[in-house]
Amino acid sequence: MARQETNRSGEIEVFVRVVEAGSFSAAARALRMTPSAVSKLIARLEARLGARLVIRSTRRLQLTPEGIAFHDSGVRILADMAAAEREAAAGAAPRGLLRVNSYVPFGQHRLIPLLPRFLERYPEISVDLVLTDHVIDLMEERADVAIRAGPLGESRLVARKLGQSRTVVVAAPSYLDARGTPRTPADLDRHNRMGFRFARHIDGWPFADKAGRSTVVPTTGNALVSDGEAMRLIVLAGAGIARLARWHVAADIAAGRLVPLLEAFNPGDEELTHAVYVGQGKHLPARVRAFLDFLVETVRL
């Protein structure tokens, strides 16, 4: 037999209103119910509790000791529910702790410089920021938002695109002075091609010639690094060649600290950046929605 669902909070509200109104009919008018419906609801409540709450008479209602205790508890429960609803409604204004996880280059070069503006705009939000290029489990890490580079895998997360950037192969002038400048992808066999410790969606560096023929050159250098910013710094130090998002090294290229290589063979592929999060629509916490809107408004790659 199917179990009948019980609206316990509704039962409590009707019972408390009956006690306060002093009669079934007065409570029914206040609740926009029929007196018979109110009477039946109280009878079901008593049957579920296994106790008589009200002694009915033609003149007035009289509460049993169980009814008095249940009424007092019911008043407290309804007050607690009202308080909880007020707090939830107040949460519609952006406030509270926002936990953010970001891949390192974006965090250092884009997010951290923007955070003072965000916190000034939303003074009741505080931010817990973690930087890592490893993909985390948002639920396990209790993160509200993660900012990720590259293609997104299959998941139940919701994503908002923040931008995209071409990738570029770069080296420091000091490295090129010592080892020479590669002119074709085949020349990379004689160079130190540095890679990452974590898995990439393409195992190597893709290139394409003018005829459209593509090739992938593996990374077989003498250094592996954990994140894109560490890779940028080791390349700036002259240790080898790397392939990075152009937005990440644009200032270094403009200042002459890094030199773009093999641009004639660049396939033009782009690295996407997304903000991913759990949940969507009207159920999204206000602090998360405010942060996502801020990122879309301010981030330029």
Side-chain angles (χ1 to χ4, degrees):
M1 181 180 293
R3 181 180 177 181
Q4 184 176 0
E5 295 296 329
T6 301
N7 181 357
R8 296 187 177 184
S9 63
E11 288 181 343
I12 293 172
E13 183 178 3
V14 171
F15 177 72
V16 169
R17 188 62 66 91
V18 165
V19 174
E20 292 175 347
S23 70
F24 286 179
S25 58
R29 287 193 297 271
L31 294 168
R32 296 185 178 181
M33 299 171 63
T34 64
S36 62
V38 172
S39 179
K40 290 178 182 178
L41 187 147
I42 298 300
R44 286 198 305 268
L45 174 61
E46 290 176 323
R48 183 170 63 80
L49 297 177
R52 173 164 289 191
L53 304 177
V54 178
I55 299 174
R56 298 160 177 83
S57 70
T58 56
R59 295 184 178 180
R60 63 186 179 88
L61 294 177
Q62 182 178 348
L63 295 180
T64 65
E66 293 79 8
I68 293 172
F70 190 78
H71 172 262
D72 292 343
S73 297
V75 170
R76 289 194 299 270
I77 290 170
L78 293 175
D80 289 342
M81 289 177 58
E85 290 176 349
R86 286 194 299 271
E87 290 179 6
R95 67 179 65 195
L97 178 62
L98 177 72
R99 294 182 172 91
V100 180
N101 181 284
S102 172
Y103 71 99
V104 179
F106 184 92
Q108 290 191 350
H109 294 275
R110 289 295 186 271
L111 183 55
I112 289 177
L114 290 171
L115 275 182
R117 286 175 56 189
F118 176 75
L119 295 173
E120 182 180 7
R121 183 182 298 184
Y122 301 104
E124 295 188 62
I125 293 179
S126 57
V127 174
D128 181 349
L129 175 62
V130 175
L131 302 184
T132 176
D133 275 20
H134 291 276
V135 176
I136 66 159
D137 184 317
L138 268 70
M139 299 295 290
E140 183 177 326
E141 298 294 330
R142 299 176 61 196
D144 293 305
V145 179
I147 301 170
R148 295 178 177 171
L152 298 176
E154 291 294 327
S155 76
R156 296 182 180 179
L157 299 176
V158 184
R160 287 186 71 173
K161 181 180 173 183
L162 300 180
Q164 70 261 3
S165 174
R166 290 183 62 208
T167 55
V168 60
V169 176
V170 291
S174 60
Y175 174 87
L176 299 175
D177 289 343
R179 301 286 296 272
T181 300
R183 303 298 179 186
T184 69
D187 294 341
L188 291 172
D189 287 342
R190 300 188 298 273
H191 288 272
N192 193 29
R193 308 182 302 277
M194 297 183 296
F196 293 97
R197 294 182 62 246
F198 53 86
R200 307 284 286 181
H201 67 285
I202 297 178
D203 187 18
W205 299 346
F207 294 97
D209 61 20
K210 293 181 179 179
R213 294 184 294 265
S214 61
T215 184
V216 176
V217 176
T219 56
T220 57
N222 60 9
L224 292 174
V225 299
S226 62
D227 62 76
E229 181 63 9
M231 181 66 79
R232 169 180 167 270
L233 293 175
I234 199 170
V235 173
L236 283 170
I241 300 176
R243 187 172 187 261
L244 296 165
R246 191 173 186 94
W247 74 262
H248 186 193
V249 292
D252 298 315
I253 293 173
R257 295 186 293 266
L258 291 177
V259 178
L261 304 172
L262 304 172
E263 282 293 85
F265 300 92
N266 192 322
D269 56 322
E270 295 185 329
E271 182 179 83
L272 301 177
T273 294
H274 292 90
V276 298
Y277 54 96
V278 180
Q280 59 183 331
K282 63 183 180 181
H283 302 298
L284 198 63
R287 66 184 184 280
V288 176
R289 186 185 303 280
F291 183 65
L292 294 170
D293 291 344
F294 177 83
L295 291 177
V296 171
E297 171 192 338
T298 58
V299 169
R300 298 292 180 269
L301 296 180

